[in-house]
Amino acid sequence: MSHEPNIEDSFIDQIETIILENLCNEQFGVSELAETMNMSRSNLLRKIKKTTALSASQFIRQVRLKKSMQMLQETQLTVSEISYQVGFGSISYFIKCFREYYGHPPGEVGKGTLVEEKEPVQTHYFKRHQRQIIATSTLFLVLVISFFIFSKKETTKAVEIEKSIAVLPFKNESNNSSNLYFVNGLMESALNNLQKIEDLRVISRTSVEKYRHTNKSIPEIAEELDVNYLVEGSGQRVGDRVLLNIQLIDASTDTPIWVKQYNQKVVDVFDLQNEVAKKIADAIKAKVTAFEMEQIDKKPTENLLAYDYYLQALDPYNTRTMEGLEEAISLFEKAVEEDSQFALAYAYIAFSYYYIDLFQKQKQYTELINNNADKALLYNAKSAESLIAKAVYYMHIKEYRLALPHLEKALEYNPNSSAVVNMLSSLYANYIPNTAKYLTYALKGIQLDIAANDSITKSYIYLNLSNALIQNGFTEEASKYIDESLNYSPNNYFAPYVKAYILYARHRDIEQTKKALMLELQKDTTRLDILQEVAKLHYYQEDYDTAFLYYEKFVEARIESDLDIYPHEDIKIGLVYEKMGLDEKASEFFTSYADFCENDESIYKSVSVAALYAHEGKIDEAIEQLKVFATKSNYQYWLLLFMKMDPVFKPLKNHPEFNNVMQKIDERFWENHSQLKNTLEDQGLIK
């Protein structure tokens, strides 16, 4: 019998060695392991999954936990010391993982009853003689079926390629330029149908539009868009017939894997669009559920003239200019005149009015947005567009929590909707704070909007992602993307501001941060966001004289412009004014802050109230509020960085429970951070 090393065992041994070499580095995860192994992340994930039946992040955690057990048995180190030495930033999270894996907490190791390492249910490889028994025995087939499938199919099953696809702008083959809207409509319909399939990752229309007149090759486009398949099409409308040439291309080989020429009557255009989506999904073996098939088969309207008006409206609508939107509304309204139950047209009327009103101080079209959204839902409640229309109405009237369920349901109907993903990212960033969801949707958004049309848009996409990363404590990743943002647009208005704080998170150098922000303030002295940040940094250093100079300018500008901004900062401003002997004015800020706390519905309410109680001398009540906050999840990293140095909390520092509750807040954050990192790695959102 051969005693040559098993290839899978050798692979596992190799990655275990690498993990152990980087054991104390909490940031050493799947991406770092893949880089060290000189493998792509996807190949590493696939191979670990095949060999161990674990995700890569689970396997890394397993190696850390096994080493922790060995250290508990063989050394005199404390649980806390071992936790950090095996790469867990949070002791509580380490204890939780240890208990889940071994069935008992680490503190019980060595007490006489639980000293032996417990073999987990899932092991990363079987011993060689066990493999041989499995290979020759059918008696235990049921028990080892999962192992049997993985080991036996390896030689015959091809490596599964990610089902990522981009639909390039279709070409108008007619000499009549007025025919272009119809060809564009065919392209948009093909895109929309594919977006309804959750098993696909479909790049947004805005990302592919830049390739309408490109000379780039298929492999170049695919690399830029990070997709494995591209759809090309050309067509025209001739009288009552549609002529369409379409092909699905495997980007890795630049060869078509499905080609079709259509010559059908216009009355059959919906059947044509639906068949294209089904044929493409079938060609790349995408799973299409019965509900997704039902959504694809559903005709938007039976009235072809109404549909023609709708297609004509899309081009001006996509300009997002005032003139374009007004032209689009006129055409969408003609569509609903022809078909009074045309839900899709009603939804786009609502969108158009929403965009017209978006930056207007005095809103004019609130009722029109609502009425058209309601009609869209009335005639098709299972349409992503109908749900988005109602969501934008709620966003328009600032009822953000009411928008959430509509957007989340819309994402079920259209899992590849970059519009929905970006709206959710914005809501969780700004209006319903949840740092984990903010980052998750920001990462999904960048996958769908991977190649925005211009460098400025790209810069802001990377800025948003960087901001989401730093809020969750992913400092190195945030630093990478903020640099990308500035590379695309050095004049990005907000990127230097975010970069200054990312650098603070890395180096904890408050003087460096102040200098960086002052440079931005010198470029534009009217920037109230920077003005209050500079004031706040001086406040943290208890340099109240200088803080007052900047806060005073900020307050004057806020009053002059009648702006209701940064109400959560009023307690800091009040404290500075109090230190300057301006008690009456300070009292106004404290009253304003108390009103803010009363109306605050965010996860930060308890910590805000704690600050108020601390200032009022209600020490025990303040500590109780901090205890409440210590149970919350997904709060911003900035709290950890600045809370302990905030002068408003100084009266609490002598309380016997203060340090303990602050440690719990810290541990809770890093526990959330570790869990989020594992989830994002498993979903393939962090590379």
Side-chain angles (χ1 to χ4, degrees), residues 193-451:
N193 279 336
L194 290 171
Q195 285 180 330
K196 295 171 184 175
I197 302 172
E198 189 172 8
D199 197 35
L200 297 177
R201 178 168 66 85
V202 186
I203 300 302
S204 70
R205 182 193 62 79
T206 53
S207 287
V208 298
E209 183 60 32
K210 65 185 289 187
Y211 299 103
R212 183 174 291 278
H213 304 294
T214 188
N215 293 319
K216 292 184 177 180
S217 67
I218 290 296
E220 287 175 320
I221 297 172
E223 183 178 359
E224 289 182 8
L225 294 174
D226 190 27
V227 294
N228 292 314
Y229 301 98
L230 290 168
V231 176
E232 282 190 322
S234 61
Q236 59 181 310
R237 179 175 179 174
V238 181
D240 66 345
R241 301 197 71 81
V242 179
L243 307 179
L244 177 65
N245 300 305
I246 193 163
Q247 60 179 345
L248 173 68
I249 304 169
D250 183 337
S252 63
T253 59
D254 194 8
T255 56
I257 57 176
W258 175 74
V259 179
K260 183 77 173 180
Q261 293 181 326
Y262 292 94
N263 185 340
Q264 295 181 206
K265 289 185 177 181
V266 172
V267 294
D268 299 324
V269 67
F270 299 123
D271 293 333
L272 183 156
Q273 292 167 352
N274 296 349
E275 181 183 329
V276 167
K278 293 173 187 176
K279 292 291 187 183
I280 290 172
D282 185 60
I284 60 180
K285 296 180 174 57
K287 299 173 189 172
V288 185
T289 67
F291 178 75
E292 290 167 351
M293 190 65 72
E294 178 187 334
Q295 290 291 98
I296 291 170
D297 283 337
K298 188 176 180 65
K299 294 181 180 180
T301 176
E302 296 289 345
N303 188 309
L304 287 176
L305 182 55
Y307 188 64
D308 194 74
Y309 280 129
Y310 165 77
L311 293 182
Q312 290 182 51
L314 290 179
D315 279 350
Y317 168 80
N318 286 328
T319 66
R320 297 292 197 276
T321 63
M322 185 70 74
E323 297 77 10
L325 291 167
E326 289 173 348
E327 181 185 350
I329 289 171
S330 175
L331 291 164
F332 287 134
E333 287 179 339
K334 287 182 179 180
V336 297
E337 286 173 12
E338 294 296 327
D339 178 0
S340 61
Q341 298 186 13
F342 194 175
L344 194 58
Y346 283 120
Y348 272 85
I349 293 172
F351 299 154
S352 300
Y353 279 122
Y354 172 75
Y355 284 121
I356 287 175
D357 243 6
L358 188 58
F359 297 111
Q360 303 300 320
K361 191 169 185 179
Q362 296 297 324
K363 307 299 184 186
Q364 302 179 50
Y365 300 113
T366 304
E367 286 309 308
L368 281 170
I369 297 169
N370 190 33
N371 291 341
N372 282 283
D374 284 344
K375 287 179 181 178
L377 279 171
L378 175 65
Y379 297 122
N380 190 355
K382 292 184 178 180
S383 159
E385 289 80 8
S386 298
L387 289 157
I388 298 168
K390 191 65 178 180
V392 300
Y393 163 69
Y394 285 127
M395 292 167 66
H396 187 76
I397 62 172
K398 299 184 179 180
E399 291 284 355
Y400 301 109
R401 291 190 181 276
L402 295 178
L404 271 183
H406 290 80
L407 291 173
E408 288 168 347
K409 180 60 70 173
L411 205 57
E412 291 180 24
Y413 296 148
N414 187 339
N416 288 282
S417 173
S418 63
V420 174
V421 167
N422 290 331
M423 286 180 192
L424 286 167
S425 175
S426 176
L427 286 178
Y428 284 121
N430 302 306
Y431 306 108
I432 309 166
N434 184 308
T435 55
K437 289 186 176 181
Y438 174 27
L439 177 55
T440 299
Y441 286 116
L443 286 165
K444 286 181 179 178
I446 206 168
Q447 284 191 340
L448 301 176
D449 277 328
I450 198 165

Side-chain angles (χ1 to χ4, degrees), residues 141-165:
L141 181 60
V142 175
L143 299 176
V144 298
I145 189 69
S146 60
F147 166 79
F148 184 81
I149 291 170
F150 280 116
S151 62
K152 288 296 182 184
K153 288 192 174 180
E154 181 190 358
T155 56
T156 58
K157 182 177 178 181
V159 174
E160 185 177 351
I161 298 174
E162 184 200 25
K163 302 177 186 75
S164 51
I165 191 167

Side-chain angles (χ1 to χ4, degrees), residues 37-50:
M37 291 287 291
N38 293 317
M39 296 176 68
S40 70
R41 188 178 183 280
S42 58
N43 283 340
L44 179 70
L45 290 170
R46 197 159 37 240
K47 191 163 184 179
I48 291 177
K49 186 73 172 178
K50 177 181 71 66

